[in-house]
Amino acid sequence: MNELDQLVAEARSEFGQAHAPAELENAKARYLGKAGRLTELLKGLAQLPPEDKKLRGAAINVAKQQVEAALNERRQALAEAELEQQLKAESLDVSLPGRKRGVAGLHPVTRTMERIESIFASMGFEVADGPEIEADWFNFTALNTPADHPARSMHDTFYVEGGHLLRTHTSPMQIRHAVQHVKRYRERLDAGQSMPDIRVIAPGRTYRVDSDATHSPMFHQVEGLWVGENVSFKDLKSVYVSFLREFFETDDMQIRFRPSYFPFTEPSAEIDMMFNSGPLKGRWLEVSGSGQVHPQVVRNMGLDPERYIGFAFGSGIDRLAMLRYGVNDLRLFFDGDLRFLSQFK
Ligand code: PHE
């Protein structure tokens, strides 16, 4: 092996030992730099006689080209290795199983409300919504409940600052909705014409100072109101019986109207039901208060009680949900325990 071949072989091996770009550049300088071995050889040509210069020069250039080729080859190899390393470090394992998101579901009380809304909507009832922080007038006074009525005692009612209270029932919606309705048809009424019947339900949260397995300080009611010129107790009966049959998807039940008392209805009745089969068979269950709207309440709606008459009811939604789903402790609805709630998905 001549001296130039030897030099090329050495350069190749040094380049091969460089494992980082900086090391490779140092090795390059030793051959091709200003004081590199090949540069020195080229400088040495000047001392040779002209006839040797040509041959020697050509041979050195061949060696130089070989060194440059080896250098480029190594540069490329290092760049590829670096890229590969980078790809490896950044790689995604697409075979790993993903993280699942839980499937959400509606709360059983919400589902019950929606069910009630759609049944009454099919009977031509509007759905209304109103405030939970209520004025004394709407919750009590307008509903013919005088200031000394037992339903007002501190024991029953949460009072808030400024004389307001958390509504103890959805009945204030009777007044609120009727007043809006009457306002809308004021001109017709003043002209002695009639207005469309008030036919509405108002589901929502209600509050009382009460807490045990069947009472929660926050609970849900749905108010129903139908007022017109020719609405009677028999309409209450047919509407409510149809509702219960739809709601429980059975006709196999008995329903009774038991005389009762509410300041805002006269006469008043508790609505009880009894299943003829199933686990609750043979037990009377109280599901709603109801009655014919009291003349004073009709007056407070802005209507003439000699001309307008109707019925109202107020039912416990949580109670209906418990009966439908077979839940025996009301508090389960409000504990937020997913083991219970996820059964309703
Ligand atoms: N508001 C009554 C209650 O909460 C229920 C009711 C509503 C009774 C409408 C009669 C008419 O007990």
Side-chain angles (χ1 to χ4, degrees):
M1 196 190 275
N2 71 30
E3 162 218 16
L4 284 174
D5 289 341
Q6 178 75 32
L7 182 144
V8 171
E10 281 172 22
R12 235 184 227 129
S13 118
E14 275 188 51
F15 293 164
Q17 278 156 35
H19 291 289
E23 288 174 43
L24 184 60
E25 294 314 305
N26 284 339
K28 171 204 160 180
R30 287 197 287 277
Y31 292 87
L32 300 167
K34 256 189 202 142
R37 288 171 66 183
L38 276 162
T39 319
E40 292 299 327
L41 288 178
L42 286 167
K43 279 184 203 159
L45 283 177
Q47 274 104 59
L48 293 181
E51 60 274 20
D52 294 345
K53 249 187 203 167
K54 208 175 159 192
L55 263 178
R56 177 74 177 155
I60 294 173
N61 269 328
V62 168
K64 192 181 170 194
Q65 277 162 22
Q66 287 171 336
V67 169
E68 280 169 346
L71 175 69
N72 283 335
E73 206 176 293
R74 186 63 188 157
R75 269 187 186 147
Q76 206 168 326
L78 284 182
E80 273 167 22
E82 194 184 278
L83 181 65
E84 190 140 327
Q85 193 123 37
Q86 210 176 329
L87 286 177
K88 223 193 231 164
E90 292 172 0
S91 74
L92 279 179
D93 183 351
V94 293
S95 69
L96 271 179
R99 274 186 216 111
K100 277 193 196 143
R101 286 212 207 170
V103 177
L106 289 178
H107 191 279
V109 171
T110 305
R111 289 171 58 133
T112 304
M113 281 205 214
E114 290 185 351
R115 184 173 175 78
I116 293 169
E117 286 174 20
S118 79
I119 294 170
F120 279 105
S122 78
M123 292 193 265
F125 281 75
E126 283 181 66
V127 179
D129 199 9
E132 291 168 26
I133 297 176
E134 190 51 282
D136 178 281
W137 166 258
F138 289 109
N139 197 84
F140 292 127
T141 310
L143 291 167
N144 200 33
T145 309
D148 54 359
H149 193 278
R152 287 179 164 230
S153 75
M154 287 298 288
H155 180 79
D156 288 328
T157 309
F158 289 109
Y159 286 91
V160 298
E161 282 172 23
H164 284 50
L165 48 88
L166 299 184
R167 64 178 182 188
T168 57
H169 50 181
T170 44
S171 299
M173 283 306 294
Q174 289 186 33
I175 305 293
R176 284 186 177 275
H177 184 81
V179 164
Q180 287 296 318
H181 187 93
V182 168
K183 202 164 143 194
R184 200 180 314 152
Y185 297 103
R186 190 77 265 169
E187 281 179 30
R188 281 207 216 179
L189 290 167
D190 288 347
Q193 295 167 352
S194 56
M195 62 166 197
D197 286 1
I198 298 168
R199 203 168 358 171
V200 68
I201 61 160
R205 277 188 279 270
T206 47
Y207 303 84
R208 281 182 211 176
V209 186
D210 217 347
S211 185
D212 59 42
T214 53
H215 296 89
S216 149
M218 188 282 297
F219 57 107
H220 300 82
Q221 282 193 341
V222 57
E223 195 75 8
L225 178 69
W226 186 349
V227 172
E229 289 178 35
N230 195 17
V231 183
S232 76
F233 220 93
K234 108 181 161 240
D235 296 306
L236 165 61
K237 213 167 166 183
S238 82
V239 162
Y240 212 87
V241 168
S242 306
F243 163 66
L244 287 178
R245 289 182 177 163
E246 281 274 329
F247 184 81
F248 289 108
E249 297 172 273
T250 176
D251 289 355
D252 197 17
M253 58 167 77
Q254 295 169 54
I255 295 159
R256 75 178 178 197
F257 286 71
R258 177 166 45 87
S260 183
Y261 172 78
F262 298 101
F264 35 91
T265 46
E266 179 62 36
S268 305
E270 298 285 350
I271 306 174
D272 299 336
M273 60 171 288
M274 182 164 73
F275 292 106
N276 292 330
S277 55
L280 293 164
K281 172 185 162 170
R283 260 175 51 204
W284 282 110
L285 308 158
E286 192 182 303
V287 289
S288 187
S290 69
Q292 185 172 294
V293 182
H294 192 286
Q296 185 54 45
V297 175
V298 174
R299 217 169 277 128
N300 292 338
M301 291 170 173
L303 293 169
D304 176 4
E306 296 297 329
R307 187 166 169 187
Y308 288 93
I309 189 165
F311 67 78
F313 60 83
S315 317
I317 294 179
D318 315 298
R319 196 71 200 294
L320 289 168
M322 285 169 79
L323 294 175
R324 181 165 158 82
Y325 294 120
V327 173
N328 55 17
D329 191 331
L330 176 67
R331 291 168 290 201
L332 285 169
F333 286 141
F334 309 124
D335 283 346
D337 187 335
L338 283 176
R339 288 169 303 178
F340 172 72
L341 294 175
S342 58
Q343 297 176 70
F344 298 90
K345 279 200 289 220

